[in-house]
Amino acid sequence: MDDRVGTTLHTGLLLSTTAVLAWLSGLPMLFPSLGPSAFVLALFQRSDATRPRRVLGGHAVGVIAGLVAYGLFATGVDMTSAPDPGSIDGLRLAVSAVVATTLTAGGMLATDTRHPPACATTLIVSLGLLSTPREGAIILLAVAVLVLAHRLLLETERLRHRALDTLE
């Protein structure tokens, strides 16, 4: 199969796992930063970038940084509607987002858990979209499901190749 088609299908299959879980459970297990994570896993299937420690760790750093920043600067406001221009609420959200992203970048570098999509996760949290500890845990659960689905797809592919080699 063409690598482009394989990467495309792999991405879709990965995201399907959390989409189905979100649909069946009603939990927010489908959020914007999960798409880029699925694409990274599909595109760089066996590279350093797809190590579970890096993917899960990066998102964990993003969630923690987002919760800290939101708690310090923006509790009670969110980006579900645009704040008025020049408003204090808008400033609080902006500061929360900048602090969270800065903490996430530094935290990922310090812990060797570089995963760029985690910078989107930290914005989701710090802008009040999924900003409770429970929602942070759900984010990490969804990322863990994504990583597990990726590992299962790779193992299935490996077994399929082994079976085909045996037949030849």
Side-chain angles (χ1 to χ4, degrees):
M1 180 182 315
D2 182 305
D3 281 349
R4 292 172 294 187
V5 172
T7 297
T8 301
L9 293 175
H10 194 113
T11 302
L13 284 170
L14 290 178
L15 206 54
S16 295
T17 60
T18 58
V20 167
L21 288 173
W23 172 57
L24 292 174
S25 69
L27 296 173
M29 295 185 74
L30 196 57
F31 44 88
S33 56
L34 212 52
S37 288
F39 184 66
V40 166
L41 290 167
L43 186 62
F44 306 110
Q45 293 184 4
R46 290 178 175 86
S47 80
D48 233 19
T50 64
R51 287 191 349 236
R53 179 183 186 286
R54 209 180 245 188
V55 178
L56 285 164
H59 282 285
V61 169
V63 166
I64 292 166
L67 288 172
V68 167
Y70 185 76
L72 289 174
F73 302 106
T75 301
V77 294
D78 61 58
M79 284 296 294
T80 55
S81 59
D84 292 330
S87 69
I88 296 298
D89 283 349
L91 177 62
R92 290 173 57 207
L93 286 168
V95 169
S96 178
V98 169
V99 169
T101 304
T102 303
L103 290 173
T104 298
M108 287 191 300
L109 291 171
T111 59
D112 193 28
T113 56
R114 296 178 313 278
H115 185 66
C119 287
T121 293
T122 208
L123 288 173
I124 291 164
V125 176
S126 66
L127 293 173
L129 302 174
L130 295 172
S131 57
T132 67
R134 179 180 183 271
E135 291 166 333
I138 292 168
I139 289 171
L140 295 178
L141 175 62
V143 172
V145 167
L146 195 74
V147 168
L148 178 62
H150 172 66
R151 294 290 177 184
L152 290 172
L153 280 173
L154 291 181
E155 184 61 21
T156 301
E157 181 181 311
R158 188 183 67 75
L159 291 173
R160 185 176 61 84
H161 285 295
R162 183 183 288 169
L164 289 174
D165 289 344
T166 303
L167 292 174
E168 292 177 353

